[in-house]
Amino acid sequence: MEPQDNNPSQPGVTRPGGRSARPGTGSADAPRRPWVVGVSGASGTPYAASVVRGLLAAGEAVDLVVSRASRLTLLDETGISFRDAHWRADLREWLALGADGKPGTFAVTEADLDLVRYWPAGDLAAGPSSGSYPVKGMLIVPASTACVAGVALGLSKDLLQRVASVTLKERRRLVVAVRETPLNGQTLKHLVTLDEAGAVVLPASPAFYAGATHIQDLVDFVAGRVLDAAGVPHRLYRRWVGELGSGSREAD
């Protein structure tokens, strides 16, 4: 079963057979200001893929940080081994994969991959580890409870946590898509700490009012809410329009 298109295909990253029309990204001389996407070891790697696809479709540059633990989760959930030396090929395979595990669900172009810069999780000298490195903000999706604790406590034990700490100290947008249930008291305290520090705490909680008919629709809803919190335009889900029953109707 193919993912239901509640909205027209996004430009930049498209479904097979779709047209790709990248929006303007400004002057060639404009400085690169990416969104950092951090992927922790929590279950939910399809959420991360959807967020990256949404950013690329909007013409946004992406700096990608994949934690060591998340590589195990990615291998378990998708069968994909994410390797530093072959990250571009592995990322293409990951972004093309549907949430149902079907390969080639999404078309990913070389131009899309050219917008991505990858930093190994152990590289604490990477660009985003410094506040002087220009970024728009950071999206951690999915965020494990261990990642939440590390960021809340300022541990900076790897590049993902270090970039999150830098994002907070520079007063940039940090969105933390926590993916765990149930939540214990200590994790709830850590989430309150992040909220008080200025982060957006966004549980990976799909909604059903948008007329989901496929697992991809539920994944895209969460990814769309992450992009909403970042202020990045997208067409990943059908928005509420104030009419009861509108979510169950066929898209025009």
Side-chain angles (χ1 to χ4, degrees):
M1 180 178 181
E2 292 292 332
Q4 184 73 24
D5 273 326
N6 285 337
N7 298 286
S9 295
Q10 300 179 74
V13 182
T14 65
R15 299 179 189 277
R19 297 178 61 189
S20 177
R22 180 168 302 286
T25 54
S27 168
D29 296 329
R32 182 179 184 273
R33 289 189 66 229
W35 284 96
V36 180
V37 176
V39 187
S40 81
S43 177
T45 55
Y47 293 133
S50 184
V51 166
V52 172
R53 285 193 299 264
L55 289 169
L56 298 181
E60 297 283 349
V62 173
D63 274 23
L64 183 65
V65 180
V66 180
S67 76
R68 290 188 176 93
S70 69
R71 297 182 190 217
L72 298 177
T73 307
L74 181 64
L75 180 63
D76 183 56
E77 293 184 345
T78 70
I80 297 172
S81 297
F82 198 89
R83 303 159 294 175
D84 288 346
H86 304 281
W87 70 265
R88 192 176 174 103
D90 296 338
L91 179 62
R92 177 193 288 275
E93 183 181 4
W94 182 16
L95 295 183
L97 194 68
D100 59 359
K102 183 176 180 180
T105 298
F106 299 93
V108 184
T109 69
E110 287 298 315
D112 295 322
L113 297 176
D114 286 343
L115 288 175
V116 181
R117 183 176 293 170
Y118 169 70
W119 302 96
D123 184 5
L124 291 177
S129 67
S130 171
S132 66
Y133 183 85
V135 303
K136 293 183 177 179
M138 183 180 191
L139 315 175
I140 305 178
V141 53
S144 66
T145 54
C147 173
V148 166
V151 176
L153 297 174
L155 298 183
S156 295
K157 72 178 185 64
D158 62 7
L159 181 60
L160 193 157
Q161 291 185 15
R162 169 61 185 169
V163 178
S165 294
V166 169
T167 302
L168 289 175
K169 81 178 181 68
E170 296 293 327
R171 302 297 191 266
R172 296 166 180 160
R173 180 60 56 93
L174 174 63
V175 181
V176 180
V178 60
R179 214 307 306 161
E180 186 58 88
T181 188
L183 296 173
N184 63 29
Q186 197 60 49
T187 297
L188 291 171
K189 292 177 183 177
H190 290 151
L191 292 174
V192 170
T193 297
L194 291 179
D195 176 77
E196 292 175 341
V200 176
V201 176
L202 194 152
S205 178
F208 295 85
Y209 64 77
T213 60
H214 189 276
I215 187 175
Q216 188 68 55
D217 299 323
L218 298 176
V219 168
D220 286 346
F221 180 87
V222 171
R225 295 299 287 154
V226 171
L227 295 179
D228 286 346
V232 176
H234 67 87
R235 304 183 73 178
L236 283 174
Y237 67 87
R238 186 184 305 167
R239 297 184 181 278
W240 175 249
V241 295
E243 297 179 9
L244 292 177
S246 61
S248 61
R249 299 172 191 161
E250 292 293 328
D252 294 332

